[in-house]
Amino acid sequence: MMPTLRTRDKLLYGPADFGGNLVGVVGNTWLLYYLVNIAGLAPLLAGLAFLAGRLFDALVDPAIGALSDRLRNRRGRLWFTRVFAVPAGALFGALWLVPFAPEGGRFVLAALGFMALSALYSLATIPYLALGPELTPDSDERTGLNAYRLAFSMLATLVGVALPPLIVLGVTGARDLAASPPAGWVVVGVLSAVAASGALLVTGFGVREPGRGGARGEEGSAPPLTLRSVRELLGTFGLGPLLGAFLLITVALMVTNSILPFFLESVLRLPGALQAPLLGGLFLVAILGFGGWNVLSGRLGKRVGLLLGLGLMIVSLLLYVYAVPRGVVSPQLIGTIVLNGLGLAAVSLFPWAMLPDVLEFDELRSGVRREGLLYALLLLGLKAAGSLGVFSNALVTSLLGYVAGQATQSPETVRGIALMMGPVAAAVYLLALVFVWRYPITRENHARAREQLAARASPAPLAPGD
């Protein structure tokens, strides 16, 4: 068995996910809100700009993953992270300048910016994620590694969701976010870009990649990208149910993340000054919950842990809509935040911890390692699913007559926002639960797969007389 990863290794692996997720969270949570309320884009056009970036992403992600597999010996996985961290951050900061462009060109600039940003962040993050399974082959240790990584990711979510309102209100002196000038939001974009690029570089230069070469790592051993290789990989034992659950969880998360500012402001009627500490508490609970879920999965397994987490998410979202009083910070709200935070930790941790275990079953069948291609295909699907969640909210707010620049909305608009935050998102989580129930990989059959790979790699014993 490979030596246990040191705590230092796990800590240095995590910051890159802080960087990548900070951009994703600030973008998915606040950019839609910003483009609608501050830049003056119609909600439908703002959603289409997001969608354009993701569709372009779909064209390049598999090629980036396959390229990472082919160059992992000569360049290493983290070479991509070191090269593209700063350009990606610079472009993200520039996206917040859209309101200063002529009104007629704002949609085009936003769409082109999202397309370029998607490609640059794919180049910086797909090879990094593909490195995770190479750091350890042990199923339980992979859960621990992902717990560290996702703690950084959740910290980015906390920062990306909770701090922007404080920064905007502090910089501009505005009372309502919906009526704030763009200068405060530009500060948010620049600070997020600097923090994201710096975090990516910490991992890019700090993590020592395992020795390359040998039977699994010879240059050129990864096959070229073809439709056949993609179909073969997608047919790997256990990947179908996991991918279905992963995509549905992402849709639900993006629905709730992108509708959250609208929900807090117009449905729960909480002022911006109260939103930040409540959101901070939510993600702090999630960060603290990773350790408990890691221990629980060692006893009950990852699948059971994910099923429990999905149940908590369903219950908490329905409580937000139907049990939490409006306009006050009530005990019901605090309790719901705790349940939501614990569920959020589980649905964030376990799919990522389960994914690397698929690789050994793919290698048993194909004879090659395809971490880069697997993570590229996954991220392609996750980005498409996330865009669907954001676009659905943009479409709903447009159809329901959301009035930009106002915290108070019509009863019909309020009901529509509440519907997306509660019953719609809960229904998506319920469907994800069905997929997780069908997930077939266990600690035992994964261990057998590793044993078969080890036996295949061992040289045959010499016959007597040879």
Side-chain angles (χ1 to χ4, degrees):
M1 177 179 172
M2 182 177 290
T4 301
L5 287 173
R6 298 173 299 172
T7 300
R8 175 185 178 278
D9 299 325
K10 298 175 183 177
L11 286 172
L12 285 174
Y13 183 67
D17 214 56
F18 175 92
N21 196 47
L22 181 64
V23 167
V25 169
V26 174
N28 287 327
T29 304
W30 295 110
L31 256 182
L32 177 64
Y33 183 88
Y34 176 69
L35 291 175
V36 171
N37 286 290
I38 312 302
L41 284 179
L44 187 58
L45 286 179
L48 285 173
F50 272 85
L51 196 59
R54 296 316 189 201
L55 290 176
F56 179 74
D57 220 8
L59 300 176
V60 300
D61 276 5
I64 292 171
L67 181 65
S68 170
D69 287 337
R70 295 184 67 79
L71 295 183
R72 63 178 173 178
N73 263 0
R74 190 168 61 198
R75 297 291 189 182
R77 302 283 190 189
L78 294 178
W79 175 83
F80 292 87
T81 303
R82 294 190 292 268
V83 169
F84 292 101
V86 173
L91 183 56
F92 182 71
L95 264 176
W96 298 81
L97 299 176
V98 167
F100 299 96
E103 187 173 350
R106 292 175 186 175
F107 166 72
V108 174
L109 285 177
L112 291 176
F114 279 121
M115 291 167 68
L117 181 69
S118 296
L120 287 175
Y121 266 96
S122 291
L123 284 163
T125 57
I126 287 175
Y128 154 72
L129 291 170
L131 176 64
E134 296 176 354
L135 294 177
T136 174
D138 182 72
S139 178
D140 289 328
E141 194 167 49
R142 285 170 172 172
T143 304
L145 177 65
N146 277 284
Y148 274 85
R149 178 178 71 83
L150 289 163
F152 279 94
S153 178
M154 196 61 65
L155 179 62
T157 303
L158 188 158
V159 171
V161 172
L163 284 189
L166 295 181
I167 294 173
V168 171
L169 296 178
V171 169
T172 64
R175 294 187 60 186
D176 294 320
L177 292 175
S180 59
W185 295 97
V186 173
V187 173
V188 168
V190 171
L191 290 178
S192 300
V194 171
S197 295
L200 285 163
L201 292 174
V202 167
T203 296
F205 286 103
V207 171
R208 183 174 59 185
E209 298 187 50
R212 298 185 293 272
R216 288 190 178 186
E218 295 191 7
E219 194 65 55
S221 61
L225 177 63
T226 63
L227 287 176
R228 180 179 178 182
S229 64
V230 171
R231 287 197 301 267
E232 185 180 67
L233 180 58
L234 291 176
T236 301
F237 177 72
L239 182 58
L242 179 59
L243 189 59
F246 228 138
L247 295 178
L248 288 165
I249 288 170
T250 301
V251 169
L253 284 173
M254 289 304 101
V255 166
T256 54
N257 281 358
S258 60
I259 205 71
L260 190 58
F262 302 92
F263 181 79
L264 292 174
E265 188 172 61
S266 299
V267 179
L268 291 189
R269 300 195 295 274
L270 296 173
L274 285 179
Q275 293 177 25
L278 291 173
L279 292 171
L282 168 67
F283 295 113
L284 181 60
V285 170
I287 292 171
L288 295 176
F290 283 127
W293 286 116
N294 187 27
V295 172
L296 184 65
S297 73
R299 298 181 179 181
L300 301 179
K302 304 174 190 180
R303 174 176 166 272
V304 173
L306 183 52
L307 289 171
L308 292 173
L310 287 167
L312 289 176
M313 292 299 286
I314 293 169
V315 170
S316 61
L317 291 177
L318 295 177
L319 287 175
Y320 276 130
V321 174
Y322 297 112
V324 171
R326 279 31 175 173
V328 296
V329 179
S330 62
Q332 294 96 316
L333 177 59
I334 300 300
T336 302
I337 285 174
V338 172
L339 291 179
N340 193 191
L342 292 174
L344 181 60
V347 301
S348 301
L349 170 62
F350 289 120
W352 286 106
M354 294 155 78
L355 183 69
D357 295 346
V358 172
L359 285 163
E360 279 72 33
F361 291 95
D362 176 49
E363 187 181 4
L364 268 178
R365 185 176 59 170
S366 68
V368 294
R369 299 285 295 187
R370 298 188 283 204
E371 289 94 342
L373 182 57
L374 174 63
Y375 279 87
L377 292 174
L378 173 71
L379 289 180
L380 185 159
L382 296 186
K383 291 170 183 177
S387 295
L388 176 62
V390 174
F391 180 72
S392 66
N393 284 334
L395 182 61
V396 167
T397 53
S398 177
L399 293 175
L400 292 175
Y402 181 83
V403 180
Q406 295 185 13
T408 302
Q409 299 291 325
S410 69
E412 293 77 13
T413 304
V414 169
R415 282 194 294 270
I417 293 172
L419 183 70
M420 294 299 293
M421 183 71 183
V424 170
V428 178
Y429 279 123
L430 182 61
L431 187 56
L433 190 146
V434 175
F435 278 87
V436 175
W437 188 266
R438 298 176 56 244
Y439 178 71
I441 296 178
T442 64
R443 184 185 291 111
E444 292 73 24
N445 60 22
H446 180 259
R448 288 195 296 271
R450 288 178 52 202
E451 290 171 359
Q452 293 175 48
L453 287 172
R456 181 186 295 178
S458 299
L462 294 175
D466 287 351

